[in-house]
Amino acid sequence: MPGPSGNGRASLQEASAFGEAIAAMDMQQSVPFHMMAKPGGAVCNLDCSYCYYLTKDMLYPGDRLRMAYEVMDAYIRQLIEAHAGQPITVAWQGGEPTLMGLDFFRRAVERVRYHAPPGTEIQHTVQTNGTLLGDAWCAFLREQGFLVGLSLDGPPDLHDTHRRDKRGRGTAERVIRAVQRLQRHGVEFNILCSVHASNVDHPLRVYRFLRDELGVRFMQFIPIVERLEPGQDAPHGWGRKVPGRTFYTQAGSEVSARTVDPVRWGAFLNTIFDEWLRHDVRRVFVQSFENALEAWVGMDPSLCVFRRTCGRALALEHNGDVYSCDHYVEPGHRLGNITDTHMAELVESPRQQAFGRAKSETLPRQCRACRYRFACNGGCPRNRFVRTTDDEDGLNYLCTGYRAFFRHIDPAMRRLAHMLRASGTGHGVTGQAGSA
């Protein structure tokens, strides 16, 4: 496989850049858990057809779905208490969290300052569709040092296939304006690109649009997998206007037409990887590739999807309810409420510990024998609903694609891992940390 100079070799500088990225991510691994707060629950100004979270409003019929001040303060105080002496990430998501308004976030930042001991390292993050980010928002995000996750599925025609507003209008142009505003204000941001049946066959169009036309340097590619029960369908998505809408759960052995095909998913990653390796190792960071190198240098990948166990990335609903995972906000995975029980106790509860261990304990034989288990660890439990070649439950729906991806990148990853060890830049390999 050709490298950046076309000769199959990566430079030491490129390996060093990898080491710096790994050092930054390894710092995050010391955090005992991540709590993603949803201040407006499932409320959103868009109606993206693949958004499973839109049905979560059905958990709270008649509720205004707005986080009260007391719940917000409890979230921040307990998060800080649970991470005493460690870096803390205060994370907001939705639905669409910016619908809460700037004053809510100003007050949240004030409560962080009030509760955090002097010298505490705080990272504020927010995940948004970007359509409401005007100059006032961007100035605030820059002033407070927020890291923004912004959803964009590629060029307008691909993005607008599924990411539309309540009136059925495309949203790409509004999101692109948000990217430009964030850049103008100097706000750090990542692009979160969902990969589905409509854009999976256009990897270079997607990647080059983000890299060249928008100047994006940090990006994540997230495969869309919508599980369905036999006979169930979701042709129009999960919004409130959908006739006969049902509550979405991680159940079923079939998938929607929007779901990404496993083989094409692998080809998508491979194509972008080749482009990235030739041109962009030192200037573009792709989460899937960074996590892969972590595995190749002997670390437990930082992304929960690829870690040996899970259960350390939880979701907090608007009313204080805590759920095992953002993908499992459903009655069977509600752990309790932070207004009754400290979140640290809920995270360490026997139920949540069992949820986290189940990822490795239920790994089928085919996965346990796989040469790429160290990089994949079976993938996200929500996608493990396919039968193995020896008719055992629990194989990842995306397994074929991930196997092709890991096989494809293996030679380059071996070279880069060797360079990291030789240069002493790989934190966790030599014990010498770089800086991001």
Side-chain angles (χ1 to χ4, degrees):
M1 182 169 53
S5 60
N7 60 5
R9 297 181 183 275
S11 72
L12 189 61
Q13 284 182 311
E14 289 161 348
S16 178
F18 256 126
E20 292 174 358
I22 286 178
M25 290 187 292
D26 190 50
M27 289 177 62
Q28 298 175 6
Q29 293 184 356
S30 65
V31 178
F33 66 89
H34 180 76
M35 187 69 70
M36 186 180 294
K38 297 171 179 287
V43 174
C44 189
N45 60 323
L46 302 191
D47 203 15
C48 303
S49 56
Y50 55 63
C51 182
Y52 67 94
Y53 212 84
L54 291 176
T55 69
K56 306 307 179 182
D57 62 343
M58 299 170 75
L59 288 168
Y60 305 99
D63 197 308
R64 292 182 62 240
L65 301 177
R66 290 184 67 84
M67 183 175 282
Y69 167 79
E70 293 76 15
V71 176
M72 178 254 282
D73 189 69
Y75 162 56
I76 291 169
R77 175 178 56 80
Q78 292 180 25
L79 190 70
I80 291 170
E81 291 171 348
H83 292 76
Q86 296 179 328
I88 298 167
T89 298
V90 183
W92 305 97
Q93 201 205 36
E96 176 49 45
T98 60
L99 288 169
M100 294 294 294
L102 257 176
D103 286 344
F104 175 89
F105 285 90
R106 290 192 181 105
R107 198 168 191 184
V109 169
E110 290 173 0
R111 299 316 294 166
V112 171
R113 292 199 190 102
Y114 177 81
H115 288 296
T120 303
E121 183 180 336
I122 302 288
Q123 172 69 75
H124 297 279
T125 72
V126 61
Q127 184 171 328
T128 174
N129 60 47
T131 60
L132 303 178
L133 293 184
D135 287 319
W137 264 107
C138 292
F140 167 78
L141 296 169
R142 175 66 178 88
E143 178 186 348
Q144 301 303 328
F146 269 72
L147 174 62
V148 177
L150 185 65
S151 297
L152 180 61
D153 290 357
D157 61 310
L158 300 179
H159 174 92
D160 288 343
T161 303
H162 297 298
R163 300 192 65 83
R164 296 180 172 271
D165 63 18
K166 302 294 188 186
R167 297 171 60 183
R169 301 173 301 182
T171 60
E173 294 305 323
R174 281 172 274 179
V175 181
I176 291 169
R177 287 196 295 271
V179 169
Q180 294 165 344
R181 285 195 188 97
L182 291 169
Q183 291 169 329
R184 244 186 351 260
H185 284 268
V187 180
E188 291 188 51
F189 69 95
N190 297 331
I191 288 296
L192 312 179
C193 177
S194 296
V195 183
H196 40 73
S198 299
N199 63 1
V200 69
D201 292 328
H202 306 280
L204 291 182
R205 273 196 70 206
V206 170
Y207 183 70
R208 290 171 179 170
F209 173 77
L210 298 177
R211 181 193 66 188
D212 300 336
E213 297 191 39
L214 298 186
V216 172
R217 293 295 174 260
F218 296 88
M219 58 187 78
Q220 304 175 27
F221 296 108
I222 304 166
I224 292 296
V225 179
E226 289 180 292
R227 293 177 63 175
L228 299 176
E229 298 283 3
Q232 184 186 8
D233 199 6
H236 306 296
W238 304 98
R240 291 188 180 185
K241 295 180 179 179
V242 174
R245 181 175 72 143
T246 57
F247 180 73
Y248 184 86
T249 62
Q250 296 294 348
S253 58
E254 298 182 0
V255 296
S256 72
R258 288 181 291 269
T259 292
V260 67
D261 175 79
V263 174
R264 291 153 72 192
W265 166 240
F268 179 94
L269 291 175
N270 289 346
T271 302
I272 293 178
F273 181 82
D274 289 348
E275 172 85 355
W276 171 85
L277 189 63
R278 292 187 184 97
H279 305 293
D280 301 321
V281 175
R282 298 179 61 188
R283 66 193 189 105
V284 177
F285 292 88
V286 180
Q287 185 185 54
S288 302
F289 307 160
E290 295 176 22
N291 271 262
L293 188 64
E294 289 178 313
W296 258 263
V297 298
M299 297 168 57
D300 196 12
S302 56
L303 188 63
C304 64
V305 169
F306 299 123
R307 292 181 70 86
R308 295 184 185 93
T309 60
C310 60
R312 311 304 286 181
L314 301 90
L316 176 76
E317 257 290 347
H318 69 289
N319 68 338
D321 284 346
V322 174
Y323 293 86
S324 292
C325 169
D326 174 55
H327 291 285
Y328 285 90
V329 176
E330 48 194 69
H333 292 282
R334 180 184 176 276
L335 300 172
N337 191 291
I338 62 170
T339 62
D340 302 319
T341 308
H342 198 289
M343 71 168 64
E345 185 177 339
L346 297 175
V347 171
E348 302 300 337
S349 66
R351 283 181 60 203
Q352 184 63 3
Q353 294 302 301
F355 174 85
R357 290 193 308 271
K359 179 177 182 179
S360 62
E361 292 175 352
T362 61
L363 206 60
R365 288 185 296 274
Q366 183 173 325
C367 291
R368 295 198 300 270
C370 179
R371 64 178 296 189
Y372 300 114
R373 177 183 173 181
F374 72 98
C376 174
N377 288 302
C380 183
R382 71 187 178 94
N383 293 333
R384 285 166 49 177
F385 56 89
V386 176
R387 301 190 75 82
T388 66
T389 53
D390 54 357
D391 204 32
E392 187 179 4
D393 285 329
L395 184 67
N396 193 321
Y397 169 80
L398 297 170
C399 177
T400 305
Y402 276 125
R403 264 205 330 272
F405 170 59
F406 294 136
R407 182 169 57 248
H408 185 74
I409 68 174
D410 181 65
M413 287 296 169
R414 287 176 182 271
R415 289 192 298 271
L416 289 167
H418 175 75
M419 288 179 175
L420 284 173
R421 295 187 182 97
S423 65
T425 56
H427 184 56
V429 177
T430 66
Q432 183 176 350
S435 59

